[in-house]
């Protein structure tokens, strides 16, 4: 199978001064900007999980398939992983839920050792007291080399990738279960509830309970069929108004000399 990303990975790693961080931190980029931009504007599902789009005006990052109206191209930056986007100060979108993206970033194909490290992190290697040195040992390389590979291909350190995965696992459990927060914290790989709360707040800019409240509101009995119909009706009214306005503009443009 031909990877849809085969024309996206560039041979050399492009190193550029990061405007996103507003500091002297250098960000490494293995993504082709134009290809990513085309993919997100087309909401091309083949690219889901292969890169994330950071919107500079909102500081939110999205999957390429996000249902929200795409931001202008000059206002977006691309990241190989969710961890890299978070490291640059973006928070996950609550609409497209980056934590639910398929975990197959293109850069996994770049280095077998990196994909092995990722799978180990995914299974909780760095959640049970073992260090990046232990991880490097398991892979038969030095920790320094492993960190270098991660920065180059993932845009984030193994520790940052593990931290992002913990918060992502917790977010999925909040969305999909009714488990109490304490159970979610430990199930997601956190060693304490305090750490869970702190990590979650740092990523989502709100406590975990706020996201559960959102869900509770959405599914409360008050959210009746009538309420949904009303919302739909006002939405279609809005689009009808927009269409009428567009027709008017079009007509006046055509009428102009
Ligand atoms: Zn989104």
């Amino acid at each position: 199978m031909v990877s849809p990303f085969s024309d996206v990975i560039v041979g050399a790693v492009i190193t550029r001064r990061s405007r996103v961080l507003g500091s002297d931190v250098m960000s490494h980029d293995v993504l082709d900007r134009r290809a990513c931009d085309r993919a997100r504007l087309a909401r091309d599902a083949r690219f889901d999980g292969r890169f994330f789009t950071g919107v500079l005006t909102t500081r939110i990052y999205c999957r390429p398939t996000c249902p929200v109206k795409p931001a202008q191209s000059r206002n977006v930056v691309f990241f190989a992983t969710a961890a890299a986007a978070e490291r640059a100060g973006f928070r996950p979108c609550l609409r497209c839920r980056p934590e639910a993206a398929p975990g197959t970033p293109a850069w996994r194909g770049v280095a077998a050792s990196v994909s092995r490290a990722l799978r180990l992190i995914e299974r909780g290697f760095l959640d049970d007291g073992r260090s990046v040195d232990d991880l490097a040992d398991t892979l038969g390389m030095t920790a320094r080399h492993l960190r270098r590979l991660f920065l180059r291909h993932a845009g984030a350190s193994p520790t940052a990738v593990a931290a992002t995965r913990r918060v992502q696992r917790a977010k999925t459990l909040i969305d999909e279960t009714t488990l109490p927060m304490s159970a979610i914290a430990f199930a997601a790989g956190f060693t304490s509830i305090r750490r869970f709360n702190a990590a979650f707040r740092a990523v989502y800019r709100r406590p975990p309970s706020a996201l559960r409240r959102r869900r509770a509101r959405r599914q409360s009995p008050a959210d009746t069929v009538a309420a949904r119909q009303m919302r739909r009706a006002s939405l279609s009214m809005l689009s009808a108004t927009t269409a009428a306005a567009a027709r008017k503009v079009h007509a006046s443009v055509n009428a102009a000399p």
Side-chain angles (χ1 to χ4, degrees):
M1 198 187 95
V2 176
S3 160
F5 228 69
S6 53
D7 63 332
V8 168
I9 300 272
V10 289
V13 174
I14 303 156
T15 305
R16 61 183 162 77
R17 194 166 288 273
S18 173
R19 286 169 308 161
V20 176
L21 295 170
S23 69
D24 285 342
V25 178
M26 304 297 280
S27 88
H28 298 268
D29 193 345
V30 290
L31 301 172
D32 179 292
R33 194 181 153 82
R34 266 190 310 179
C36 289
D37 207 40
R38 268 200 307 274
R40 71 153 188 121
L41 289 170
R43 296 200 179 94
D44 191 335
R46 291 175 307 164
F47 289 79
D48 197 13
R50 290 168 177 264
F51 73 86
F52 295 91
T53 307
V55 181
L56 293 165
T57 45
T58 57
R59 312 299 293 176
I60 291 173
Y61 75 91
C62 287
R63 291 157 75 166
T65 52
C66 186
V68 176
K69 183 172 176 272
Q72 299 204 26
S73 300
R74 66 166 185 273
N75 290 332
V76 301
V77 284
F78 299 105
F79 300 98
T81 60
E86 288 172 13
R87 190 167 155 263
F90 292 83
R91 81 149 169 83
C93 175
L94 297 176
R95 289 286 301 280
C96 61
R97 303 175 59 226
E99 72 276 11
T104 51
W107 50 274
R108 280 195 178 187
V110 175
S113 50
V114 173
S115 38
R116 234 191 113 203
L118 265 185
R119 281 197 300 275
L120 289 168
I121 291 172
E122 181 65 41
R123 283 186 225 129
F125 193 100
L126 294 176
D127 299 335
D128 58 6
R130 283 180 291 184
S131 65
V132 174
D133 288 285
D134 298 327
L135 180 61
D137 261 359
T138 306
L139 297 163
M141 63 174 75
T142 64
R144 192 160 164 263
H145 185 57
L146 181 63
R147 283 199 186 91
R148 210 164 38 218
L149 282 177
F150 261 70
L151 276 185
R152 175 170 168 177
H153 298 300
S157 67
T159 318
V161 170
T164 291
R165 277 309 293 152
R166 277 193 289 277
V167 174
Q168 288 184 331
R169 278 195 290 264
K171 171 67 163 49
T172 302
L173 290 171
I174 290 170
D175 284 344
E176 292 170 8
T177 74
T178 52
L179 287 171
M181 288 300 169
S182 53
I184 287 178
F186 295 113
F190 290 93
T191 50
S192 79
I193 294 164
R194 191 184 54 79
R195 277 166 193 256
F196 163 56
N197 281 325
F200 203 92
R201 260 178 193 281
V203 171
Y204 280 96
R205 325 263 155 89
R206 65 202 80 195
S209 55
L211 290 177
R212 179 153 275 174
R213 278 203 296 274
R214 274 171 69 91
R215 177 172 179 253
R217 248 202 323 273
R218 209 162 51 225
Q219 297 184 341
S220 70
D223 194 9
T224 57
V225 175
R228 277 201 298 275
Q229 277 171 348
M230 215 152 78
R231 261 206 309 273
R232 249 203 308 273
S234 54
L235 268 177
S236 61
M237 230 154 71
L238 188 72
S239 59
T241 319
T242 316
R247 271 197 303 274
K248 215 146 84 189
V249 169
H250 190 70
S252 66
V253 165
N254 283 349

